[in-house]
Amino acid sequence: MSTVSTKIKERKVLGKKVSFVDANQKVTGKAEFLADINYPGMLYGKILRSPLPHAKIKRIDTSRAAAMPGVKAVITADDVPSNKFGLSVPDVNIFAVDKVRYMGDEVAAVAAVSEEVAEKALELIEVDYEELPGVYNTEEALKEEAPLVHEDKENNIATTYHIERGDVEKDFAACDYVFEDEFETSLVSPGYMEPMGCIANYESNGRLTLWTSIQSAFQARSELARALGIPISDIKVKVPYVGGGFGGKIWIRNLHPICAMLAQKTGLPVKLVLTRLEEFYTMRPRVGAKIKLKTGVMKDGTLVAKQAYVVCTNGAYSWAAPKIMLNMSMRTDCLYRYNSTKTDSYLVYTNTVPTSGFRGYGNAQMHFAVESQMDMIARRIGVDPVEMRLKNATHQGDITLHGWEVKSCGLSECIEKVADDMKEYRQEKLESEGRYKRGVGVACMNHVSGNRAGDKFDGSSAIVKFQEDGRALVFTGESDLGQGAKTVLAQVAAETLGIPLEDVLVEPYIDTDVAPFCMGTYSSRVTTVAGNAVLRASEELKEQLLQLAAKILEVEPEDLTVEDRMVKHRTEPQKEIEVAEVCRIGIRTREAAELTSVYSYDPPTDGIGEDCYGDYSSAYTYGAQAVEVEVDTETGAVRLLKVAAAHDVGYAINPIWFASALMNGRQLLSGGKASGTAVKNKVSLFNRFFKVRI
Amino acid sequence: MSTVSTKIKERKVLGKKVSFVDANQKVTGKAEFLADINYPGMLYGKILRSPLPHAKIKRIDTSRAAAMPGVKAVITADDVPSNKFGLSVPDVNIFAVDKVRYMGDEVAAVAAVSEEVAEKALELIEVDYEELPGVYNTEEALKEEAPLVHEDKENNIATTYHIERGDVEKDFAACDYVFEDEFETSLVSPGYMEPMGCIANYESNGRLTLWTSIQSAFQARSELARALGIPISDIKVKVPYVGGGFGGKIWIRNLHPICAMLAQKTGLPVKLVLTRLEEFYTMRPRVGAKIKLKTGVMKDGTLVAKQAYVVCTNGAYSWAAPKIMLNMSMRTDCLYRYNSTKTDSYLVYTNTVPTSGFRGYGNAQMHFAVESQMDMIARRIGVDPVEMRLKNATHQGDITLHGWEVKSCGLSECIEKVADDMKEYRQEKLESEGRYKRGVGVACMNHVSGNRAGDKFDGSSAIVKFQEDGRALVFTGESDLGQGAKTVLAQVAAETLGIPLEDVLVEPYIDTDVAPFCMGTYSSRVTTVAGNAVLRASEELKEQLLQLAAKILEVEPEDLTVEDRMVKHRTEPQKEIEVAEVCRIGIRTREAAELTSVYSYDPPTDGIGEDCYGDYSSAYTYGAQAVEVEVDTETGAVRLLKVAAAHDVGYAINPIWFASALMNGRQLLSGGKASGTAVKNKVSLFNRFFKVRI
């Protein structure tokens, strides 16, 4: 096994700069996004949304809309199943029942012959509302007498976490200093270029096909099945090219079951795509958090204990916010060593847009607070903030308080690198004077590569098969959101099989009937987890190929290798055969072999239990960035003068992406078994710091 | 292995009368045939065909057609690759080059915005022909000075076979009688309800997707690749519901590469469906044959030697006719025992429509001759034709002169049954008198269940997988032409997996990227060969399920069985778990298992070599039919009074199909390994003779 990870120098495809396998399609505009997929006779759906944040629905009259020429169906909560859905806290209905809970809540929907007709028909739907007092931030929502967003959710609490490692009270008492500070992060919109949408079509066999631009086809399928109250296997989710996701397209939204119901009612395919305006007020933003940190340190800057009190905005319904708050609650201790930590977190309903995942999944919120307080503490106790970070930094081999096993870690190297870089830069520069003051800041980050925190399964599966002419097909259920998943998986398959990259096709559309099961594209998991699934499936497939070639050539399979589309004998050069010929013989003759491999890979990490303890990712990524800024002390305007960034990205599978790797910080291909390799990788890695001078 | 074949009495799905799994879709008109598949913006293709049977093409002027509004492309031989294609004798070009060889030969094609515009544009294409003398039957074609259909094919011979077993000359010399008779069979049109057609579309990644109603998706793919001169893996063939094939849709016709070229030239999807009229004069009919039989018999009716001289009409190009003539040449000795046999066969080009496969693939032609001569000989030597057949009939255990191993054979029982039935019937009836004469005839048949004669590989592959909710998906590349392949494969999977039939979905469309490789639907091979592939894939999948269930229940997998959607312990009834729950755990949790099985099955038969010797089918099917007819001696009109039919159909997987099984005579699920079972099956079998009284 692991032929790939052991021979870095011999690699022909991995680690090489290659263009995206679908670059040509994208730049020529040929790649098919949902907008390009159309059925003949297809209808268009539109959603009527609540203009009020909190109100009783007293009456809905759809008769005028239904009578409008070109309108094929008008539906409300009365016409759809009443199954509640949602990830960990099922509190959503397909349409708002009895009352609306945020401005944007789905009230009715129309299917019509054109978007224009559907839009007009929405105006003809009459809804009588009785406005209710609402709660618009977590303070209001948590007040004793506050109106309830959901009548069955006491105190407007969606979920809570209480995590304690060690004895923070005892540790605080022993510290030289204890600092308490408060931080707040706001809602941030994912702002993906392609609005969410779908096409629902009931096939002639009664099954529902749903085309949608989504991060997790399989989770979309099961969530949709739950909403519609039908078996999972009655649904086929298909994913075309995806115009960005950034966490905002992990799961379905109400539009998906609504579109399915419109298709069911009309018996025709229905396309429903949100407008940009709809997206602006209903796109699930990053969970807003208020974070109180209490940190105990010694005089020399040694960190001892950290306590966090977290209150998060859930919005009107629970999407991924519970899982995100869980992540947030566990990110108090992952950059630095502590003796103890404690977190109490509260997710609070409000009459605002539901919050959910956006880049980092709880990470950004907590690291903003932790890293801000770090600088504040350093200043207060007179320690250099870089020195303080280096003194406390997590190292390879550490097990964090929450049980993360730090299998590789370039945090200290990253901090040193950006500090050096910034020092060098500042020596060249004039000091700032007068109205314009200059300053330097540094902050660190870490993230996961896969995350078993939320799910028992964090794996991925792949099918890799040879075609008759020696080219290979890869089937994965992991979406390519533009980050290059198809390219990296094709590289892994090509390298492993010993064939050129252009001989590998990753099937461009995901189909949940065809693709093997996987969790989807989030938590920076695809390269590591799906990459390992493709790697292992390819290894098995290559083994099938070599066995067959050995039979044909009458040699031992161990003596064979694949190179330049040929199966070659390692020592007897005359014994060779084209890969294509082996495939042709394997597939079309008595040496019947399907030359197909299916592999389900689950990384060797622990799921976390009730106690939130466990090593939940096979690789953690670390990075540091330093900036110099100039502040206009009169207007407050900030000008960014310099960024120095250093990221431990692991082995860069495609160095052409290094700029985006910097952003994602996660181009790792290292499972637990490859940890020995990770060290080697680190060497090459740190030759590739990425610098930007602005 | 073979859990299915060993427990006939316990079967719950196999052997039960079930409706076709897609019956509802078909009777409600929802099933999607090619006519129902349309792309937005799709163009329509039409072909200009030669009105002459043999002529030089002196000039083609497409300029007026190309200038017509709505016309997007006009193409001729100059615009397409010049690769010759064809099965065993590649002699076809996409368009006729330099000369046309039959009335219907493809000369040019148009893609336009509608069928009407395309049709009109054809009229604007000017072609100057110089008529050539032609050959319109095999006698003319074989004459010394005959015009050549293909200049490089001497004497208009496409292919020949010379097969000899034993010494016919010596045997004839020792016979009491030697009879020579001549028979002729005509071209017969397959007459499928749905005309052939396709939709070609170049995907954004440059690959060609071809939707077509065809019997063999994979052979279509490789043949199309050959015609277009592109790699096989650049093509994806998709097969929707097929409106009949009967052998006439085994392979592509010129329309397929023509449609692909129109799509390539226009950059748009193009649909090209033949009209009924086009089908009437270009649909490949059954190969016409002239058969001279020389048969040596003893006085008591014992058959000794048979010599055949066969001349077949190939038409203008070689489609399946070479393979069909090969089959014909080997069917001289398969119903009865002989000491020797010899065949000389000649396939002859003519300026007529190319011939190809239609029901029986050479079988019908030779059996018509053999069975007709059998009656003639019986009358001449004064032996009862039924007795003569019984005396010479092939029996189980025989190895025929061509090497067929007769693993099961109900021929004698079938003859006796129809003879008895006819006797009984005739006793009730008045004898005929005067102008109207009555007579009784009997004839026997046999056929294969798969055929390795033409190809080294005669196998099939299947993918069977569990979905998260315990339902199963079956992927096969074998087309369902209406004969019920989807139903029988679903039955096999359901029985083997231990789940209800409604829990199995056979993917309704074939996609050559997704489906595992197989040869296609012909030679009565699907139930036997694909059935065994699904059986074995399902067994492997069940094993995966039981292994996982055993782990969950903490028992041994051997102690578990699947029944009524539950995995149950054979002796401890409290130890059970839902199949769906095992799948959910398997697919979505740490017990990562993809629950997918891929199996490539190749029956344990011999390919025939140069000498045409070998056992090329895993099961041979036998049958007999007797008829009573009334002949109007003045007009010659024949009235059918009675048919008695008896067929050894093996184990009837779905007895509801017995009427069609009678016609197909091939509902067998017995590989070489199951031959012990076949005997058992025969018992139940012969309780199911099918009777028709007209």
Side-chain angles (χ1 to χ4, degrees):
Chain A
M1 292 293 265
S2 290
T3 50
V4 163
S5 53
T6 50
K7 297 180 295 179
I8 290 178
K9 281 184 188 166
E10 293 171 23
R11 288 180 188 170
K12 295 193 165 175
V13 190
L14 287 180
K16 305 296 171 204
K17 292 182 183 175
V18 300
S19 296
F20 274 20
V21 290
D22 48 11
N24 181 286
Q25 288 148 266
K26 286 190 172 170
V27 297
T28 56
K30 286 184 191 162
E32 277 125 339
F33 293 84
L34 190 75
D36 303 301
I37 294 165
N38 296 292
Y39 285 77
M42 188 173 77
L43 301 176
Y44 296 84
K46 285 281 171 195
I47 297 170
L48 183 72
R49 297 178 179 279
S50 167
L52 301 171
H54 202 194
K56 272 193 192 155
I57 301 170
K58 295 182 68 183
R59 187 186 67 100
I60 307 180
D61 185 350
T62 60
S63 56
R64 284 178 62 213
M68 184 177 162
V71 171
K72 302 295 178 188
V74 186
I75 58 173
T76 67
D78 291 343
D79 305 299
V80 301
S82 57
N83 313 296
K84 288 200 171 177
F85 59 103
L87 283 167
S88 29
V89 184
D91 56 14
V92 193
N93 280 104
I94 297 178
F95 286 110
V97 176
D98 300 333
K99 72 170 192 175
V100 291
R101 291 179 177 84
Y102 82 104
M103 204 192 92
D105 218 342
E106 290 81 358
V107 174
V110 170
V113 294
S114 72
E115 287 198 277
E116 294 68 27
V117 172
E119 199 89 64
K120 284 222 172 102
L122 291 185
E123 292 169 19
L124 300 181
I125 300 172
E126 293 162 25
V127 189
D128 288 351
Y129 295 103
E130 179 188 320
E131 229 177 316
L132 296 169
V135 287
Y136 304 107
N137 58 48
T138 53
E139 278 83 2
E140 283 176 22
L142 289 172
K143 278 184 189 151
E144 199 95 348
E145 297 300 309
L148 291 176
V149 179
H150 295 264
E151 279 63 31
D152 59 342
K153 304 286 181 181
E154 252 179 84
N155 302 323
N156 286 317
I157 300 286
T159 194
T160 58
Y161 296 106
H162 303 286
I163 309 171
E164 189 164 5
R165 311 275 172 228
D167 187 340
V168 285
E169 292 308 331
K170 202 176 132 197
D171 284 346
F172 284 142
C175 279
D176 293 333
Y177 308 104
V178 176
F179 297 105
E180 287 189 64
D181 298 290
E182 210 170 322
F183 304 91
E184 187 169 349
T185 69
S186 54
L187 310 192
V188 186
S189 169
Y192 36 73
M193 275 179 76
E194 182 199 28
M196 275 192 113
C198 62
I199 303 171
N201 184 40
Y202 280 84
E203 306 293 336
S204 67
N205 58 8
R207 296 176 85 216
L208 168 64
T209 291
L210 189 97
W211 278 97
T212 188
S213 160
I214 208 137
Q215 294 180 224
S216 174
F218 284 96
Q219 299 203 41
R221 184 177 67 157
S222 46
E223 203 62 10
L224 188 61
R226 180 142 72 135
L228 297 173
I230 61 175
I232 285 174
S233 57
D234 276 354
I235 301 175
K236 181 201 273 270
V237 171
K238 295 181 85 170
V239 183
Y241 279 87
V242 178
F246 312 112
K249 288 183 186 165
I250 296 187
W251 287 279
I252 61 164
R253 298 241 293 273
N254 302 57
L255 70 103
H256 295 93
I258 288 173
C259 191
M261 290 309 302
L262 289 172
Q264 197 191 75
K265 298 283 172 197
T266 59
L268 289 169
V270 178
K271 190 180 219 176
L272 199 167
V273 180
L274 301 186
T275 63
R276 181 57 64 188
L277 183 64
E278 267 180 303
E279 281 285 35
F280 274 132
Y281 65 95
T282 67
M283 184 189 281
R284 307 312 188 217
R286 175 183 276 166
V287 177
K290 286 183 181 158
I291 300 170
K292 282 186 199 164
L293 291 183
K294 185 174 176 185
T295 303
V297 288
M298 303 309 285
K299 275 181 185 161
D300 66 351
T302 303
L303 293 165
V304 180
K306 183 174 298 287
Q307 185 173 359
Y309 176 78
V310 180
V311 178
C312 289
T313 311
N314 191 43
Y317 303 101
S318 300
W319 246 253
K323 292 189 175 199
I324 286 161
M325 190 176 72
L326 173 62
N327 277 336
M328 218 185 287
S329 306
M330 294 170 69
R331 298 286 172 109
T332 51
D333 71 320
C334 47
L335 280 173
Y336 309 109
R337 295 164 170 172
Y338 295 90
N339 201 45
S340 59
T341 188
K342 184 181 176 192
T343 313
D344 298 283
S345 309
Y346 301 86
L347 183 63
V348 181
Y349 284 109
T350 50
N351 291 113
T352 56
V353 63
T355 62
S356 193
F358 168 58
R359 301 214 77 121
Y361 221 75
N363 179 346
Q365 294 91 321
M366 186 52 80
H367 280 144
F368 167 70
V370 166
E371 288 294 285
S372 297
Q373 199 195 27
M374 194 75 170
D375 275 356
M376 291 156 77
I377 291 172
R379 193 177 311 116
R380 287 170 188 152
I381 66 173
V383 175
D384 179 87
V386 166
E387 289 309 315
M388 188 165 157
R389 284 180 168 87
L390 285 171
K391 180 187 283 287
N392 293 288
T394 293
H395 282 77
Q396 183 171 325
D398 283 3
I399 296 179
T400 71
L401 287 175
H402 290 109
W404 294 11
E405 293 170 25
V406 181
K407 283 146 284 203
S408 81
C409 177
L411 179 58
S412 298
E413 293 90 331
C414 288
I415 297 169
E416 282 163 0
K417 186 80 188 167
V418 296
D420 283 356
D421 207 27
M422 193 52 72
K423 248 180 245 161
E424 183 191 326
Y425 175 77
R426 282 179 64 80
Q427 281 162 3
E428 301 162 10
K429 293 286 157 188
L430 295 172
E431 286 304 303
S432 57
E433 285 175 3
R435 173 176 164 180
Y436 299 97
K437 302 281 187 198
R438 289 188 177 178
V440 169
V442 66
C444 301
M445 60 75 64
N446 106 316
H447 202 43
V448 290
S449 305
N451 179 344
R452 202 188 290 285
D455 302 282
K456 286 189 184 169
F457 179 60
D458 190 32
S460 188
S461 311
I463 298 175
V464 184
K465 66 192 258 187
F466 271 119
Q467 303 258 42
E468 272 186 272
D469 57 7
R471 281 162 151 188
L473 274 175
V474 176
F475 293 87
T476 173
E478 312 284 10
S479 296
D480 189 332
L481 312 176
Q483 88 280 32
K486 284 192 195 99
T487 306
V488 75
L489 299 181
Q491 283 182 283
V492 171
E495 184 73 51
T496 314
L497 294 171
I499 59 178
L501 185 61
E502 59 266 33
D503 282 8
V504 177
L505 177 73
V506 180
E507 275 287 322
Y509 302 134
I510 294 166
D511 176 335
T512 52
D513 278 5
V514 173
F517 184 84
C518 64
M519 295 303 287
T521 300
Y522 58 90
S523 291
S524 304
R525 59 190 296 288
V526 172
T527 299
T528 309
V529 184
N532 268 295
V534 171
L535 170 67
R536 283 157 168 79
S538 302
E539 282 174 341
E540 282 193 1
L541 181 63
K542 190 179 181 183
E543 188 55 33
Q544 291 177 27
L545 182 84
L546 294 185
Q547 290 282 352
L548 186 57
K551 220 164 154 185
I552 298 165
L553 296 173
E554 297 178 345
V555 298
E556 292 305 312
E558 304 80 69
D559 295 333
L560 295 175
T561 180
V562 185
E563 217 182 297
D564 302 329
R565 298 193 176 108
M566 297 294 291
V567 180
K568 295 180 178 182
H569 194 279
R570 289 180 204 273
T571 55
E572 301 172 49
Q574 79 288 4
K575 289 190 176 165
E576 59 171 28
I577 182 168
E578 280 183 33
V579 169
E581 179 66 6
V582 181
C583 292
R584 200 191 55 73
I585 292 174
I587 291 172
R588 274 188 94 96
T589 70
R590 277 310 292 279
E591 302 295 331
E594 190 46 45
L595 292 171
T596 300
S597 170
V598 189
Y599 199 99
S600 184
Y601 172 81
D602 198 21
T605 50
D606 305 325
I608 62 169
E610 286 279 299
D611 61 353
C612 301
Y613 186 90
D615 180 36
Y616 68 60
S617 184
S618 57
Y620 302 95
T621 177
Y622 294 86
Q625 298 199 7
V627 291
E628 182 177 25
V629 293
E630 188 174 74
V631 183
D632 182 335
T633 55
E634 285 185 19
T635 65
V638 175
R639 198 159 71 93
L640 189 61
L641 300 176
K642 199 200 170 209
V643 177
H647 287 261
D648 175 1
V649 300
Y651 176 77
I653 287 181
N654 189 354
I656 213 171
W657 301 341
F658 212 71
S660 87
L662 171 74
M663 309 297 269
N664 291 304
R666 59 191 79 153
Q667 306 306 331
L668 290 159
L669 183 73
S670 60
K673 287 190 186 169
S675 57
T677 318
V679 181
K680 270 195 233 159
N681 287 347
K682 232 170 58 176
V683 179
S684 64
L685 226 200
F686 282 97
N687 296 329
R688 293 207 195 99
F689 282 110
F690 178 67
K691 294 184 189 179
V692 188
R693 288 182 190 268
I694 300 171
Chain B
M1 293 293 266
S2 288
T3 49
V4 163
S5 53
T6 50
K7 296 180 294 180
I8 291 178
K9 281 185 188 166
E10 292 172 24
R11 289 179 187 170
K12 295 193 165 175
V13 191
L14 287 180
K16 305 297 172 206
K17 293 182 182 175
V18 300
S19 297
F20 273 21
V21 291
D22 48 10
N24 181 285
Q25 288 149 266
K26 286 191 173 171
V27 297
T28 56
K30 286 183 191 162
E32 277 125 340
F33 293 84
L34 190 75
D36 303 301
I37 294 165
N38 296 293
Y39 286 77
M42 188 173 76
L43 302 176
Y44 296 85
K46 285 282 171 195
I47 296 170
L48 183 71
R49 296 179 179 279
S50 167
L52 300 172
H54 201 195
K56 271 192 191 156
I57 301 171
K58 296 181 68 183
R59 187 185 67 101
I60 307 180
D61 184 350
T62 59
S63 56
R64 285 178 61 214
M68 184 178 162
V71 171
K72 302 295 177 187
V74 186
I75 58 172
T76 68
D78 291 344
D79 305 299
V80 302
S82 57
N83 314 296
K84 287 202 171 177
F85 60 103
L87 282 168
S88 27
V89 185
D91 56 14
V92 193
N93 280 105
I94 297 178
F95 286 110
V97 176
D98 300 333
K99 72 171 192 174
V100 291
R101 292 180 176 84
Y102 82 103
M103 204 192 93
D105 218 344
E106 290 81 357
V107 174
V110 169
V113 294
S114 72
E115 287 199 276
E116 295 67 28
V117 172
E119 199 89 65
K120 284 221 172 101
L122 291 186
E123 293 168 20
L124 301 180
I125 300 173
E126 293 162 25
V127 189
D128 290 350
Y129 294 103
E130 179 187 320
E131 228 178 320
L132 296 170
V135 286
Y136 303 107
N137 58 48
T138 53
E139 279 84 1
E140 284 176 22
L142 290 172
K143 278 183 189 153
E144 198 94 348
E145 298 299 309
L148 291 176
V149 179
H150 295 264
E151 280 62 32
D152 59 342
K153 304 287 181 180
E154 252 178 85
N155 303 321
N156 286 316
I157 300 287
T159 195
T160 59
Y161 295 107
H162 302 286
I163 310 171
E164 190 164 5
R165 310 276 172 227
D167 187 339
V168 284
E169 292 307 330
K170 201 176 133 196
D171 284 344
F172 284 141
C175 279
D176 293 332
Y177 307 103
V178 175
F179 296 104
E180 287 189 64
D181 298 289
E182 210 170 322
F183 304 90
E184 186 169 349
T185 68
S186 54
L187 311 192
V188 186
S189 168
Y192 36 74
M193 276 179 76
E194 182 198 28
M196 276 193 111
C198 62
I199 303 171
N201 185 39
Y202 281 84
E203 306 293 336
S204 67
N205 58 9
R207 296 176 85 215
L208 168 64
T209 291
L210 189 97
W211 278 97
T212 188
S213 160
I214 208 138
Q215 293 180 226
S216 174
F218 284 95
Q219 299 203 41
R221 184 177 66 157
S222 45
E223 203 61 10
L224 188 61
R226 181 143 71 135
L228 297 173
I230 60 175
I232 286 175
S233 56
D234 276 354
I235 301 175
K236 180 202 274 270
V237 171
K238 295 182 86 170
V239 182
Y241 279 88
V242 177
F246 312 113
K249 287 184 186 164
I250 296 186
W251 286 280
I252 61 163
R253 298 242 293 275
N254 302 58
L255 70 102
H256 295 93
I258 288 174
C259 191
M261 290 309 301
L262 289 172
Q264 196 191 75
K265 297 283 172 195
T266 59
L268 288 169
V270 178
K271 189 180 219 175
L272 199 167
V273 180
L274 300 187
T275 63
R276 181 57 65 187
L277 183 64
E278 268 180 303
E279 281 285 35
F280 273 132
Y281 66 95
T282 67
M283 184 189 282
R284 306 314 187 214
R286 174 183 277 167
V287 177
K290 285 184 182 162
I291 301 171
K292 281 187 199 164
L293 290 184
K294 183 173 176 185
T295 304
V297 287
M298 304 310 284
K299 276 182 186 164
D300 66 350
T302 304
L303 294 166
V304 179
K306 183 175 296 290
Q307 185 172 1
Y309 177 78
V310 181
V311 178
C312 288
T313 311
N314 190 44
Y317 302 102
S318 299
W319 245 252
K323 292 188 175 200
I324 284 160
M325 190 175 73
L326 173 62
N327 277 335
M328 218 184 287
S329 307
M330 294 170 69
R331 297 287 172 107
T332 52
D333 71 320
C334 46
L335 280 173
Y336 308 109
R337 294 164 170 173
Y338 294 91
N339 201 44
S340 59
T341 187
K342 185 181 176 191
T343 313
D344 297 284
S345 309
Y346 302 86
L347 183 63
V348 181
Y349 283 109
T350 50
N351 290 114
T352 56
V353 64
T355 61
S356 192
F358 167 58
R359 300 214 77 119
Y361 221 74
N363 179 347
Q365 293 94 320
M366 186 52 80
H367 280 145
F368 166 70
V370 166
E371 287 296 283
S372 297
Q373 198 195 28
M374 194 75 169
D375 276 356
M376 292 156 76
I377 292 172
R379 193 177 311 115
R380 287 168 189 154
I381 66 172
V383 174
D384 179 86
V386 166
E387 289 309 315
M388 188 166 158
R389 284 181 168 85
L390 286 171
K391 180 186 282 288
N392 293 286
T394 292
H395 283 77
Q396 182 171 327
D398 284 2
I399 296 179
T400 71
L401 287 175
H402 289 109
W404 294 11
E405 292 170 25
V406 181
K407 282 145 285 201
S408 81
C409 176
L411 179 58
S412 299
E413 293 90 332
C414 287
I415 297 169
E416 283 164 0
K417 186 79 189 167
V418 296
D420 284 355
D421 207 27
M422 194 50 74
K423 249 179 244 163
E424 182 191 325
Y425 176 76
R426 281 179 64 82
Q427 281 162 3
E428 299 162 12
K429 292 286 157 190
L430 294 173
E431 286 304 301
S432 58
E433 284 174 4
R435 174 177 165 181
Y436 298 96
K437 303 282 187 198
R438 288 188 176 179
V440 168
V442 65
C444 301
M445 61 73 65
N446 107 314
H447 202 43
V448 291
S449 304
N451 178 345
R452 203 189 290 283
D455 302 282
K456 285 190 186 167
F457 179 59
D458 190 32
S460 188
S461 312
I463 298 175
V464 184
K465 66 192 257 186
F466 271 118
Q467 303 258 43
E468 272 186 273
D469 57 8
R471 282 161 150 190
L473 273 175
V474 176
F475 293 86
T476 173
E478 312 283 10
S479 296
D480 189 332
L481 313 177
Q483 87 280 34
K486 283 193 195 99
T487 306
V488 74
L489 298 181
Q491 282 182 283
V492 171
E495 184 73 51
T496 313
L497 295 171
I499 59 177
L501 185 60
E502 60 265 33
D503 282 10
V504 177
L505 177 74
V506 179
E507 274 287 322
Y509 303 133
I510 294 166
D511 177 335
T512 52
D513 277 5
V514 172
F517 184 84
C518 64
M519 295 304 287
T521 301
Y522 59 88
S523 292
S524 303
R525 59 190 297 288
V526 172
T527 299
T528 309
V529 185
N532 268 296
V534 171
L535 170 66
R536 284 157 168 78
S538 302
E539 282 174 341
E540 282 193 1
L541 181 62
K542 190 179 181 182
E543 187 57 32
Q544 291 177 26
L545 182 83
L546 294 185
Q547 290 282 353
L548 186 58
K551 219 163 155 187
I552 298 165
L553 296 173
E554 298 178 344
V555 297
E556 292 305 313
E558 303 81 69
D559 295 333
L560 295 176
T561 180
V562 185
E563 217 182 297
D564 303 328
R565 298 193 174 108
M566 297 294 292
V567 179
K568 295 179 178 183
H569 195 279
R570 290 180 204 274
T571 55
E572 300 172 50
Q574 79 287 4
K575 289 188 176 165
E576 58 171 29
I577 182 167
E578 281 182 32
V579 169
E581 180 66 5
V582 180
C583 292
R584 200 190 56 71
I585 292 174
I587 292 172
R588 275 188 93 96
T589 69
R590 276 311 292 279
E591 301 295 331
E594 190 46 44
L595 291 171
T596 299
S597 170
V598 188
Y599 199 99
S600 183
Y601 172 81
D602 197 22
T605 50
D606 305 325
I608 62 168
E610 286 278 299
D611 60 354
C612 300
Y613 186 90
D615 180 37
Y616 68 59
S617 184
S618 58
Y620 302 96
T621 177
Y622 294 86
Q625 298 200 7
V627 292
E628 183 177 23
V629 294
E630 189 175 72
V631 183
D632 182 336
T633 55
E634 285 184 19
T635 65
V638 176
R639 198 158 70 91
L640 190 61
L641 300 175
K642 200 204 168 205
V643 178
H647 286 261
D648 175 1
V649 300
Y651 176 76
I653 287 180
N654 189 354
I656 213 171
W657 301 341
F658 212 70
S660 87
L662 171 74
M663 310 296 270
N664 290 305
R666 59 191 78 151
Q667 306 305 331
L668 290 160
L669 182 73
S670 59
K673 286 189 186 168
S675 57
T677 318
V679 182
K680 270 194 236 160
N681 288 347
K682 231 169 58 174
V683 179
S684 63
L685 225 201
F686 281 97
N687 295 330
R688 293 207 194 97
F689 282 110
F690 178 66
K691 294 183 189 179
V692 189
R693 288 181 190 267
I694 300 171

